[in-house]
Amino acid sequence: MAKIKPFKAVRPAPDKVALVTCRTYDDYSSAELAAWLNFNPYSFLHVIHPAYANAQKVSLEKRFKAVANKYQDFKHDQILIEEEHPVFYLYEIQSKGQTFTGIIAGTSVKDYQNNVIKKHEDTLQYRVELFKDYLHQTNFNTEPVLITYPDSVAINTFIALRKQSEPIYEYSTTNKEKHILWKIDTQSEIDWLQEHFENIPNLYIADGHHRSASAELLFEQDKHLGNENLNYFMSFLIAESNVKIYEFNRLIRDLNGLSKDNFIKKLSEHFVIVAKDQEIWKPQNKFEFGMYLDGSFYALFYKKENHQQASILDNLDAQILYDKVLFPLLGIEDLRNDERIDYIPGKQSISVIKDLIDEGEFEVGFMLYPSDINEIKALADNNLIMPPKSTYIEPKFRSGLVVYEL
């Protein structure tokens, strides 16, 4: 049974919401970041990147304190306002060809610990501890964990009816997205949602494994303080049919000393290889891979006699590529830290991969077929972990839209 909780959120003043909210900090180039910080005094980037103006290196502790101070400045200046009572939110993101709609709520750390909230990705301990320290110093979080739940006719009907009411925000952003936020604040609606989620046996983390692990670590560190907010972490709950899953394609800087012909010969042991020459080709099904090498595209079909039916993980395309190509042939063991490999989200054009290889920065690129939600759930149900950078999942939440205080 999944437990969700309304919370007393902090959010932008309605007249400033389009100016305050921003993409995730890492999503900006240096030039974009400089422009937003120079010309938009309301951007939440000023909160999460307060040292920019001085362009100086500071310790993490000082940086986190500066974030906390700037956040308080935004509240003092009424750029950010606080809800009077705990609420849920209904949030919709409309982008080109895709609409995402879900519920913003607090989810239980105990559910996370007891595997009611399931995970499919491994975490890096130093990143978990770093974000835990960030939360401890700043006392707020504005990046919810993206969590999926099984499609529910009742919840879908509730959402459809609720969307007919007046939103508290409706605005567009410079990346051509439209954002709409409704407040769910009546006790009857809150009780109804809580009861329906209690009937859901499991939730699944789609994106935000490090954030949820950090929330658990902070809970264990500070639970003696009696702060009820530590028992929960902010999540964006969305029906599993409504998430968009892209692959992460791979770029490799060299062939590990192999000649092109020898490399292709070794690949043919596990794959049927079809030359596509200049035809841009991407996989159409599972067990298919695209490759770009030396100015030509290739289709790689994993030989049927190699399909492993016994193991869900062995059947994962990202794992197949690692087990048969990246590690044994190209000598890449550490997918997170090896500088010879890089990743391109599948939503970007394959021409980006072609251009990077043609320019000489990389020697070979591999295109994968995206996993589906059932594959991700099966891995989570069996306590199996995907290789790093296996999925790029949307929607992506805007920083500064809703803040969960600790």
Side-chain angles (χ1 to χ4, degrees), residues 223-291:
K223 60 184 177 183
H224 66 280
L225 299 175
N227 181 356
E228 176 70 12
N229 286 352
L230 294 176
N231 297 338
Y232 296 85
F233 54 91
M234 183 169 64
S235 294
F236 184 34
L237 300 150
I238 187 168
E240 58 188 37
S241 66
N242 196 208
V243 296
K244 178 65 176 177
I245 304 172
Y246 296 92
E247 73 282 7
F248 262 110
N249 297 315
R250 277 81 165 118
L251 285 164
I252 316 297
R253 298 188 188 278
D254 59 68
L255 293 182
N256 196 32
L258 296 171
S259 67
K260 171 187 168 183
D261 290 342
N262 197 16
F263 177 61
I264 290 177
K265 182 180 178 181
K266 289 180 178 292
L267 280 179
S268 67
E269 294 176 13
H270 299 290
F271 301 90
V272 174
I273 303 174
V274 179
K276 295 290 184 177
D277 298 321
Q278 296 303 303
E279 177 191 347
I280 293 180
W281 190 86
K282 64 184 298 183
Q284 303 300 306
N285 296 287
K286 186 174 170 55
F287 298 125
E288 298 178 2
F289 303 83
M291 182 175 74

Side-chain angles (χ1 to χ4, degrees), residues 318-330:
Q319 189 68 41
I320 292 168
L321 188 67
Y322 176 76
D323 288 340
K324 304 303 181 185
V325 182
L326 300 182
F327 180 42
L329 302 186
L330 298 177

Side-chain angles (χ1 to χ4, degrees), residues 117-131:
I117 299 175
K118 296 193 173 188
K119 39 203 170 287
H120 67 268
E121 286 186 6
D122 210 349
T123 55
L124 295 173
Q125 190 60 27
Y126 83 91
R127 284 187 58 191
V128 172
E129 292 183 2
L130 179 65
F131 193 63

Side-chain angles (χ1 to χ4, degrees), residues 86 101 157 181 185 201 211 242 256:
T101 312
T157 301
L181 191 75
D185 57 354
R211 295 191 290 278
N242 196 208
N256 196 32

